[in-house]
Amino acid sequence: MEIQTTNYDKTDYMETVNGNKVSRKSILCGIMNIRLHGKTIIKPGVIVRGDLANVNIGRLSSVGENTVIRPSYKKFKGSIAYFPLTIGDHVIIKENTVISAASIGSYVYIGKNCVISKRCILKDCCMIADNTIVPPDTVVPPYTCYSGFPGTYKEELVDSFEHYMKDLTTTTYEHFLPNPVIGGTPSSLVTTPTSSSTFIPTSSPAVTK
Amino acid sequence: MGERNKQQVHSKQAYFFVICVCSKSFNLTELYFCNGCQKLNCKHCVTEQIDCYYCPNCLDHVSVAEASQNGNRCKKCYDCPLCFSVLALQQQQSTTEGGTSSLFLYCNFCKWNSFGMDNSKYDTLSILSGGTKGKELSPMQLEANKVLDVLQKEAADIASSKDSRTLTRLKLAQAMRQLFSPTNAGGSGSGGSGSGGGGGSGYSLNSSALGYSSSLANNFIRDERWNKNRSVASPQPSNPLLPSPSSSSSSASSTSSSSSTSNHLLSKMAIKKRINPIGHQEVDQMMQGRVEARQFQPIVSDDVKQDMEEVDALLAIDNANKINGLGQRFANQQQGPLLSNAKQEQLAPQHKQLLTRRSKRCRRCDKLLAKPDINPAKTEFKRQHFAFSYVPRVVVSRAIWLEKDVCNVQIQFTNPLHSYLFICFFKQVKDSDNTLQIYGSKDDNAIPIEMLTETYIGGILDETDDKDNQALQQLKDAEISMHSRFVIDRKDNKVTLGFLVRVSKDDAPTLDNDEIRSRLATPSTPTKKQDLPKYESSVTNVKFTLALSFSSNSSILNNLVVPQPTSPSSTSSLIHILFDIPVQEFDNTKHRPI
């Protein structure tokens, strides 16, 4: 079936100039270090630990409910060094997943209930099936699907995966719309950002409340 | 993608499959579209060629020679013997020795480490140098290599024989052409009298005058080789500038064959060269060689006693977790067979298996369909002919029961191209022997009874083409005047069409077709799910097949005024789409069958 249009309450989401839709019920720590490149959806319950290191999320990506994005670290002679976390474009991350990879490429699909352990590198066009635990320091090459416990190489992906993900993320974004406004009054509730920078200018919902 | 994972990604969309020409059904993403023959190619309809080997962990490009030398495994990366995740290298804290710190292998997942292993194999030096010390082959490996050799030889034989068969056919065709072409008839027809002189002109005849592609011409050059060394893998680089192997052989006609190999097909020399008389002795020798190659030494001595010992050992086990699993034992086959009572300590880490990048070619016309970048980290394709970006994408947007056994299925078509796409739908498809056939899969339980016959979809950029304007206008007019009930929505490069589908294959409709038509004509005003009258379904899944042909050229719409096209035009491509919609997805199903 066609992807059904999901309507959300306009008051529940912040929308930036670039089309990012960030749930007010998500927790973004250290917003100055979190950068969303536009048209990214962050669902309720998501925790992004920008206070540890920089977090970059590309265009047309979506992060599912209750997912934790936490930059990874490594001990260097007693001190702990955090690595910045980069997530590419057209990435779909499903609900209840923990991400502490070093980098995630573009056109990546991560299923629900997954754990992407420390310092993992997910290249472009790869897929992590549902309920997978990817061990630390794993490299997931392009056009492969990793699944299992621990996540190991299981099968190859189709060659047109990139096109498929492009299509999927675009339709997902297009079908994620606010409830049709009745009377057109509640727009004042949404604080539209004034700054033109790509940072999320509004403060974290925890602070606003 | 495997069936299970496919379901995950496609989650709600997996209700349709496209049928390949070879009548197997696939998801659209798995198919290729050949431009040459305008048909779909599934994974069984393509020939694959390995472009490069690479390690999935370090993403290093590995040459073919190196890959085959190491048994298609990476020299540097190891798999954990217990959990198969990647092993990390860790530095050992130098404690008592006071010397240099050494490295060891360590699993980040299950905490396995290489302490206590055979030190010569997994010490610092051998790990870093890629395990050169562990090079000595086990008897198991030697046997495996023998098997591989035999298989490779036979595969090459089969490949070359297949090659030669097509080559003979092609050669015959060319010989006929040479015979009948007025310019060259004398030379070839007289049986080799002009074999020396006609070299240059003959070659030009091959490549240009007869319109042969260069690849085909190369095939002809290669043919000189197939006869000589059959055990060579068939796709060898053939360079017309290099002297072909046959010229260096003992054959007498080396001068003529090196200059142009492919033209004097009927010349005596060429015929003589190709026929190698084989005596009884050679045949016997060959047979004996095959039989010998097929005989392998038994790896496990079939001693009955051993089984008994094993049972005893199994009975003595107190902790089942200490037994290694089938997968673990299988991964350790290289060391020789392990018995089920082998200890986990006996398992050794294995080098990581390499992966490949493969280019795909059409099996019918040998056209290159997909060529990946040789760099393992890159995802670009040098050539891509995916069905996903050539064939209209299909999504079921809504399904409503109109009657107990009649439903309206709304299907959204998306045009992936930048130009207009014209689509024809068929109820019947003409067979090769001109008999009308109702197409469909064997487990179809429904048939589309009423639908639009022709329509168009705008391109992504919606650019207008002057050439097709007339046809477009005609379609648009017809849509407004007659077919508006079928077209539900039209936006950008998407169009949603309604199809009337009747469950049950037999011709005993509970409702007259005219009545159904009139029902469809009345706009389905109650759009909300609750307002629709509920119907009980007799089946759990509604399965039907849709045949459509599409083309970016409006010429397929040669019967614009005729409402019922019966056979697809040759310039377009015909595809069948298999739908399998569970009744739960219908808006108004009364009882949800469990």
Side-chain angles (χ1 to χ4, degrees):
Chain A
M1 295 300 269
E2 191 184 7
I3 295 176
Q4 296 297 313
T5 305
T6 328
N7 286 322
Y8 60 89
D9 203 340
K10 239 188 166 177
T11 53
D12 286 349
Y13 278 84
M14 299 178 278
E15 200 177 335
T16 66
V17 204
N18 298 314
N20 295 317
K21 292 175 178 177
V22 182
S23 168
R24 285 180 186 277
K25 285 173 188 148
S26 65
I27 300 163
L28 310 180
C29 310
I31 330 156
M32 289 314 287
N33 293 329
I34 301 170
R35 200 173 154 179
L36 308 179
H37 290 248
K39 296 198 174 181
T40 288
I41 302 166
I42 303 230
K43 296 266 177 75
V46 172
I47 300 171
V48 184
R49 292 296 300 273
D51 53 338
L52 302 174
N54 281 332
V55 176
N56 275 296
I57 301 180
R59 284 176 69 80
L60 283 161
S61 298
S62 80
V63 184
E65 282 92 350
N66 305 322
T67 285
V68 178
I69 297 179
R70 188 181 194 280
S72 57
Y73 62 89
K74 190 160 191 155
K75 281 180 194 158
F76 281 115
K77 287 161 191 157
S79 64
I80 286 173
Y82 279 92
F83 299 121
L85 203 167
T86 326
I87 296 176
D89 305 340
H90 302 281
V91 174
I92 290 185
I93 300 169
K94 291 279 175 185
E95 59 264 29
N96 302 323
T97 288
V98 179
I99 310 263
S100 35
S103 86
I104 291 175
S106 299
Y107 318 105
V108 176
Y109 180 97
I110 299 172
K112 54 187 176 196
N113 308 323
C114 290
V115 177
I116 313 293
S117 309
K118 282 175 283 193
R119 301 179 300 275
C120 277
I121 295 169
L122 273 63
K123 291 282 177 186
D124 296 351
C125 297
C126 60
M127 176 176 161
I128 310 292
D130 289 357
N131 311 313
T132 302
I133 293 175
V134 184
D137 297 304
T138 307
V139 179
V140 181
Y143 297 109
T144 55
C145 175
Y146 273 50
S147 67
F149 173 77
T152 46
Y153 168 76
K154 286 284 142 54
E155 59 194 336
E156 242 172 15
L157 291 182
V158 291
D159 287 340
S160 57
F161 192 71
E162 179 180 331
H163 297 260
Y164 178 77
M165 282 304 284
K166 241 182 220 171
D167 190 59
L168 185 67
T169 49
T170 317
T171 37
T172 311
Y173 183 79
E174 280 168 0
H175 284 85
F176 191 71
L177 297 167
N179 284 325
V181 182
I182 309 143
T185 37
S187 59
S188 58
L189 287 169
V190 182
T191 50
T192 38
T194 45
S195 155
S196 61
S197 78
T198 43
F199 292 111
I200 304 169
T202 41
S203 52
S204 126
V207 183
T208 34
K209 279 169 196 169
Chain B
M1 272 191 278
E3 204 57 44
R4 191 170 41 83
N5 290 320
K6 216 184 299 162
Q7 291 291 332
Q8 280 176 11
V9 177
H10 297 274
S11 56
K12 279 188 156 186
Q13 299 177 294
Y15 300 142
F16 70 93
F17 294 97
V18 179
I19 304 177
C20 174
V21 183
C22 63
S23 64
K24 294 184 188 78
S25 65
F26 291 93
N27 196 297
L28 189 61
T29 50
E30 292 174 279
L31 294 167
Y32 298 91
F33 183 74
C34 179
N35 257 356
C37 30
Q38 294 278 315
K39 276 178 189 154
L40 294 169
N41 287 63
C42 68
K43 60 184 173 188
H44 304 293
C45 299
V46 294
T47 47
E48 292 189 325
Q49 193 187 335
I50 294 172
D51 284 351
C52 81
Y53 292 87
Y54 68 96
C55 167
N57 189 46
C58 53
L59 292 176
D60 268 356
H61 182 286
V62 181
S63 69
V64 183
E66 209 178 330
S68 64
Q69 194 192 346
N70 297 324
N72 289 345
R73 280 166 191 276
C74 179
K75 271 167 89 178
K76 287 176 272 180
C77 307
Y78 289 90
D79 273 337
C80 174
L82 299 187
C83 69
F84 308 119
S85 62
V86 183
L87 291 178
L89 269 180
Q90 282 219 340
Q91 207 147 38
Q92 192 178 7
Q93 309 290 333
S94 49
T95 46
T96 49
E97 294 151 31
T100 51
S101 61
S102 59
L103 292 164
F104 66 98
L105 293 168
Y106 175 74
C107 176
N108 266 320
F109 191 79
C110 67
K111 310 298 174 203
W112 178 92
N113 57 45
S114 65
F115 283 132
M117 294 290 300
D118 181 8
N119 265 332
S120 64
K121 247 183 177 175
Y122 301 103
D123 64 351
T124 319
L125 210 100
S126 66
I127 288 167
L128 287 180
S129 64
T132 36
K133 279 191 181 175
K135 205 77 233 202
E136 74 274 1
L137 295 168
S138 65
M140 181 81 183
Q141 264 169 308
L142 286 172
E143 282 300 312
N145 284 349
K146 209 172 153 192
V147 177
L148 275 176
D149 275 352
V150 173
L151 284 176
Q152 262 166 7
K153 218 172 221 173
E154 284 188 9
D157 274 2
I158 289 165
S160 68
S161 73
K162 207 189 259 176
D163 226 32
S164 69
R165 214 180 303 142
T166 49
L167 274 171
T168 2
R169 194 168 49 79
L170 286 168
K171 241 182 298 168
L172 204 69
Q174 191 175 3
M176 294 306 271
R177 262 182 246 198
Q178 267 192 345
L179 202 65
F180 292 118
S181 84
T183 52
N184 227 26
S188 55
S190 60
S193 64
S195 66
S201 69
Y203 189 74
S204 71
L205 190 83
N206 280 341
S207 53
S208 58
L210 287 176
Y212 273 113
S213 67
S214 64
S215 71
L216 207 56
N218 285 346
N219 268 342
F220 279 109
I221 293 163
R222 203 201 299 159
D223 97 89
E224 289 301 314
R225 222 173 336 186
W226 62 258
N227 214 341
K228 297 289 175 208
N229 41 355
R230 284 190 160 221
S231 302
V232 174
S234 60
Q236 278 203 334
S238 52
N239 189 346
L241 296 172
L242 292 173
S244 62
S246 62
S247 64
S248 60
S249 69
S250 59
S251 162
S253 64
S254 61
T255 46
S256 68
S257 67
S258 66
S259 62
S260 71
T261 48
S262 56
N263 24 12
H264 324 296
L265 296 156
L266 295 178
S267 70
K268 274 179 185 161
M269 276 305 196
I271 290 166
K272 207 183 271 175
K273 229 166 42 174
R274 276 190 199 105
I275 297 168
N276 293 331
I278 299 174
H280 279 289
Q281 218 168 2
E282 277 102 333
V283 172
D284 286 345
Q285 231 168 31
M286 214 160 69
M287 295 282 268
Q288 192 56 41
R290 278 236 168 129
V291 168
E292 273 168 12
R294 279 282 187 195
Q295 279 173 349
F296 305 112
Q297 280 171 8
I299 289 153
V300 184
S301 57
D302 38 12
D303 207 344
V304 190
K305 247 185 175 170
Q306 208 171 28
D307 280 353
M308 293 308 291
E309 279 168 21
E310 208 172 319
V311 169
D312 287 340
L314 282 170
L315 284 171
I317 289 157
D318 52 350
N319 187 356
N321 288 333
K322 292 272 185 233
I323 312 283
N324 42 47
L326 215 56
Q328 293 165 343
R329 255 180 273 160
F330 181 67
N332 267 269
Q333 280 289 312
Q334 298 233 322
Q335 264 94 42
L338 285 174
L339 297 173
S340 56
N341 59 350
K343 296 276 168 5
Q344 282 193 338
E345 288 77 51
Q346 277 171 264
L347 298 170
Q350 299 295 318
H351 286 281
K352 199 139 189 77
Q353 197 102 40
L354 298 177
L355 296 180
T356 55
R357 280 283 171 93
R358 299 183 303 277
S359 57
K360 277 115 184 157
R361 278 177 184 280
C362 175
R363 225 168 238 261
R364 292 181 295 267
C365 62
D366 213 32
K367 211 175 157 93
L368 199 58
L369 295 175
K371 185 160 181 67
D373 199 303
I374 224 145
N375 183 351
K378 277 192 181 161
T379 55
E380 286 97 44
F381 278 82
K382 282 178 186 155
R383 201 175 177 91
Q384 44 186 32
H385 282 281
F386 308 136
F388 196 68
S389 39
Y390 280 92
V391 177
R393 299 170 200 166
V394 182
V395 160
V396 179
S397 58
R398 210 172 167 202
I400 310 158
W401 292 106
L402 295 178
E403 198 57 47
K404 196 173 173 295
D405 58 349
V406 180
C407 56
N408 182 8
V409 180
Q410 300 180 2
I411 300 165
Q412 190 187 62
F413 293 85
T414 309
N415 180 4
L417 302 170
H418 289 277
S419 57
Y420 274 103
L421 209 58
F422 296 91
I423 300 180
C424 292
F425 296 98
F426 304 104
K427 281 186 184 172
Q428 290 169 317
V429 172
K430 227 173 216 172
D431 228 9
S432 51
D433 51 341
N434 260 5
T435 47
L436 280 177
Q437 277 206 330
I438 295 185
Y439 56 86
S441 132
K442 269 189 179 167
D443 24 283
D444 274 8
N445 58 10
I447 42 167
I449 48 169
E450 191 74 13
M451 57 188 154
L452 199 62
T453 48
E454 292 164 340
T455 191
Y456 68 96
I457 322 178
I460 296 168
L461 296 178
D462 216 7
E463 51 194 29
T464 38
D465 199 347
D466 286 327
K467 186 182 68 185
D468 289 336
N469 257 354
Q470 203 193 340
L472 259 182
Q473 200 55 49
Q474 213 171 336
L475 275 177
K476 278 176 183 166
D477 291 345
E479 191 176 304
I480 293 162
S481 58
M482 305 147 64
H483 305 308
S484 57
R485 62 204 170 112
F486 289 116
V487 183
I488 286 136
D489 186 32
R490 189 180 279 284
K491 199 179 128 195
D492 299 339
N493 62 339
K494 289 183 170 71
V495 63
T496 312
L497 301 174
F499 292 85
L500 221 54
V501 176
R502 191 174 64 218
V503 181
S504 88
K505 269 184 165 174
D506 51 320
D507 296 325
T510 52
L511 215 66
D512 197 26
N513 275 355
D514 289 335
E515 205 181 326
I516 294 165
R517 262 180 219 127
S518 66
R519 263 169 183 274
L520 191 68
T522 54
S524 51
T525 30
T527 42
K528 279 184 185 167
K529 271 190 188 180
Q530 305 88 281
D531 302 344
L532 289 164
K534 300 264 185 217
Y535 290 101
E536 203 175 319
S537 169
S538 55
V539 287
T540 51
N541 283 39
V542 175
K543 298 174 186 170
F544 62 96
T545 314
L546 205 64
L548 61 95
S549 75
F550 62 95
S551 169
S552 54
N553 193 337
S554 68
S555 63
I556 62 156
L557 310 167
N558 43 13
N559 30 24
L560 268 177
V561 230
V562 187
Q564 287 282 327
T566 43
S567 77
S569 165
S570 57
T571 52
S572 63
S573 23
L574 177 80
I575 57 168
H576 296 270
I577 305 169
L578 203 73
F579 288 90
D580 184 350
I581 313 168
V583 286
Q584 294 97 295
E585 294 293 340
F586 281 70
D587 278 0
N588 50 348
T589 306
K590 201 186 239 166
H591 286 296
R592 303 195 163 189
I594 302 148

